[in-house]
Amino acid sequence: MTLESTQTPDQVRAAIAEAVSSGAPIVELVDEKGATVLVPTAALGYVEIGSPEKSRVGFGTTH
């Protein structure tokens, strides 16, 4: 599962760590559109948290 979120990597890490360490049955995350995503903690094999992507800047030319 891939989730793009406006939450910082630290916020995602904290939410997952808290859910797993407390034995919560789910971890609740928010995607970039503001929708809540519920993930069963028992289904987590591993979590890869990427760094925020920088805005891309493009340059075009006209002929």
Side-chain angles (χ1 to χ4, degrees):
M1 174 181 144
T2 300
L3 173 76
E4 293 187 24
S5 177
T6 58
Q7 292 174 284
T8 66
D10 287 339
Q11 290 172 319
V12 173
R13 184 179 297 108
I16 292 170
E18 174 63 28
V20 171
S21 67
S22 70
I26 60 168
V27 61
E28 187 174 316
L29 302 169
V30 179
D31 74 8
E32 66 182 359
K33 295 179 183 176
T36 300
V37 178
L38 304 175
V39 181
T41 53
L44 294 174
Y46 71 94
V47 177
E48 183 176 327
I49 300 173
S51 60
E53 194 173 296
K54 301 248 183 200
S55 298
R56 294 181 181 153
V57 177
F59 295 92
T61 59
T62 56
H63 296 285

